[in-house]
Amino acid sequence: MALIKSLLYFLLAGFCEIGGGYLVWLWLREGKGIFVALIGWFLLILYGIIPTLQPANFGRVSNNA
C-alpha cells in the first residue's frame, strides 16, 4: 500500500510542478489574468509540500544508523 501511495504522491507532485509552471508562464508570456498566476503559484506551493507526505524514504537521509 505504501508503494501505491508513494506513486500517487509522485504523480500529483508532477502535475503540480508542470501545471503550476505552465500557468505562471501563461500569465507572464501570454498576458493571462492574475487569477491564472495565483492558481499557478498555489500549485507550485503544493509541489513543495507534497513530497513531505511520502511514506517511503526515496533518497532521504535517515537517522537510523
Side-chain angles (χ1 to χ4, degrees):
M1 188 64 174
L3 180 64
I4 293 171
K5 202 180 230 186
S6 293
L7 181 60
L8 290 176
Y9 283 135
F10 177 77
L11 293 173
L12 183 61
F15 170 76
C16 288
E17 178 188 16
I18 294 169
Y22 180 67
L23 290 176
V24 172
W25 180 83
L26 283 176
W27 171 65
L28 287 172
R29 301 288 290 181
E30 302 292 325
K32 300 292 181 184
I34 191 71
F35 186 68
V36 172
L38 291 174
I39 294 172
W41 292 331
F42 178 72
L43 288 174
L44 289 172
I45 290 169
L46 283 179
Y47 169 65
I49 294 171
I50 290 171
T52 66
L53 304 174
Q54 288 276 2
N57 292 327
F58 289 111
R60 286 189 253 164
V61 176
S62 175
N63 288 337
N64 302 334

